[in-house]
Amino acid sequence: MHLDPAQLAALAAILRSGSFERAAHDLGVTQSAVSQRLKALETRVGALLVHRGQPCTGTATGRRLAAHADRIGLLEADLARDVAALAPAPRTRLRIAVNADSLATWFPDALAGMPQHLFELVIDDQDVSHDWLRRGEAVGAVTASDQPVAGCNVVPLGALRYIPTASPEFMARHFPQGVTADAIARAPMLQFNVKDRLQHNWIERVFGRAISPPSHLIASPEGFVRAARLGLGWGLNPETLVTQEIAAGQLVSLLPGAHFDTPLYWQSGRLLAEALAPLTRSIRKAARGALRPRG
């Protein structure tokens, strides 16, 4: 299927900016032109691409086509670097799926080494972030899966270490006889969202069986740490986020030595491997400085 680049650019601009008016400003055309291009593209593919609202959001098909437009931009920028006769390419926007804990710790260092790009980061659990690649809605993903998505390369990055932590007061209140299976089943647990199985996986590893404690849903790594410090619940926090709190006695480990290492991988489209090579190198460099070697 041949798709008009100007129509794809209009779609991507709408989803990036959230409105037809801002998309028109970004593209240097009239709002009417943006509307006409989107309508023509929706007619061409036979599907609704944008949910009109404040802000405008993409349908599943719209998000996939916008990601396709971003991939085209990346390839064109790579070509411009290789062919000196071409004019300098504008900054390209890359959509990447990444887990919140990586974003809160080491991943921004990788992006800081790539000033020639603009980034759109979508936050998802590391166990499912590769689904963005499978749907064709991202050019790369930081994921816990070492099984390559069709058409993708997999690069091992290392392991993000988590420490099961709670406040001393929480420990005294909920685990007066120690951290046992019965006590862990009753003590309030912190969970990032319903997809987050990290705490459950740790419980199963330590106690040898599945247990589902009552849980708070807190979709923020920093909020996770603060909630644990205030005694709201216990949870697994990235080691680098709780080092100071542990040293100050504000947090303690539920079971000293019972850390949990989550291996992480960088998956990206094989056809984009050459164009994404600088980003891949930057991600690997940042990971080497922050993640644990894979055991």
Side-chain angles (χ1 to χ4, degrees), residues 35 52 125 132 204 275:
S35 298
R52 278 71 168 174
D125 189 83
W132 289 82
E204 192 162 355

Side-chain angles (χ1 to χ4, degrees), residues 70-79 81-82 92 94 114 116-117 268-281:
D70 290 340
R71 288 194 290 273
I72 292 174
L74 177 63
L75 292 172
E76 289 178 345
D78 191 53
L79 178 64
R81 287 192 294 270
D82 293 339
T92 51
L94 306 181
M114 302 296 297
Q116 67 272 37
H117 292 302
S268 58
R270 196 169 297 133
L271 292 177
L272 298 175
E274 186 173 350
L276 287 173
L279 176 60
T280 298
R281 286 194 295 270

Side-chain angles (χ1 to χ4, degrees), residues 2-294:
H2 174 72
L3 299 175
D4 185 279
Q7 295 171 4
L8 285 173
L11 170 64
I14 293 168
L15 299 190
R16 183 169 59 247
S17 66
S19 78
F20 284 70
E21 181 181 1
R22 287 192 291 272
H25 179 270
D26 292 346
L27 295 174
V29 299
T30 65
Q31 187 171 333
S32 175
V34 170
S35 298
Q36 291 172 9
R37 292 176 187 181
L38 176 64
K39 182 178 180 180
L41 183 59
E42 289 180 326
T43 300
R44 179 75 177 88
V45 301
L48 181 71
L49 302 178
V50 174
H51 294 301
R52 278 71 168 174
Q54 297 295 331
C56 294
T57 58
T59 64
T61 303
R63 294 194 302 271
R64 183 166 184 176
L65 286 178
H68 174 68
D70 290 340
R71 288 194 290 273
I72 292 174
L74 177 63
L75 292 172
E76 289 178 345
D78 191 53
L79 178 64
R81 287 192 294 270
D82 293 339
V83 182
L86 293 180
R91 287 182 175 181
T92 51
R93 182 178 297 272
L94 306 181
R95 176 183 285 180
I96 297 171
V98 61
N99 59 309
D101 289 331
S102 288
L103 184 58
T105 52
W106 65 274
F107 196 68
D109 293 334
L111 304 185
M114 302 296 297
Q116 67 272 37
H117 292 302
L118 298 173
F119 296 98
E120 179 181 350
L121 303 182
V122 291
I123 310 303
D124 214 336
D125 189 83
Q126 62 264 18
D127 291 330
V128 296
S129 54
H130 56 280
D131 286 344
W132 289 82
L133 284 171
R134 185 173 289 114
R135 296 193 301 266
E137 295 180 19
V139 299
V142 175
T143 174
S145 174
D146 62 350
Q147 298 301 308
V149 173
C152 290
N153 293 326
V154 179
V155 176
L157 298 176
L160 185 59
R161 174 160 293 185
Y162 289 86
I163 308 296
T165 50
S167 70
E169 294 77 16
F170 184 92
M171 295 291 293
R173 184 166 67 252
H174 292 280
F175 304 118
Q177 306 303 319
V179 182
T180 64
D182 288 341
I184 207 80
R186 297 188 299 269
M189 182 182 76
L190 304 178
Q191 194 174 356
F192 188 81
N193 57 28
V194 294
K195 297 179 184 179
D196 176 20
R197 303 297 298 173
L198 190 63
Q199 282 70 218
H200 295 87
N201 293 340
W202 178 83
I203 288 173
E204 192 162 355
R205 175 181 292 183
V206 171
F207 297 103
R209 60 187 177 92
I211 300 174
S212 295
S215 61
H216 302 285
L217 299 182
I218 302 177
S220 162
E222 295 81 2
F224 230 69
V225 174
R226 181 170 174 79
R229 193 172 67 240
L230 294 175
L232 195 61
W234 72 271
L236 270 73
N237 285 297
E239 183 179 37
T240 54
L241 288 186
V242 293
T243 299
Q244 293 183 354
E245 283 81 359
I246 291 175
Q250 297 172 324
L251 289 175
V252 296
S253 176
L254 265 67
L255 292 171
H259 56 260
F260 193 87
D261 290 347
T262 298
L264 295 176
Y265 304 85
W266 167 243
Q267 292 207 34
S268 58
R270 196 169 297 133
L271 292 177
L272 298 175
E274 186 173 350
L276 287 173
L279 176 60
T280 298
R281 286 194 295 270
S282 188
I283 289 173
R284 295 184 70 176
K285 179 180 178 181
R288 281 195 302 271
L291 301 182
R292 297 272 179 166
R294 296 166 65 238

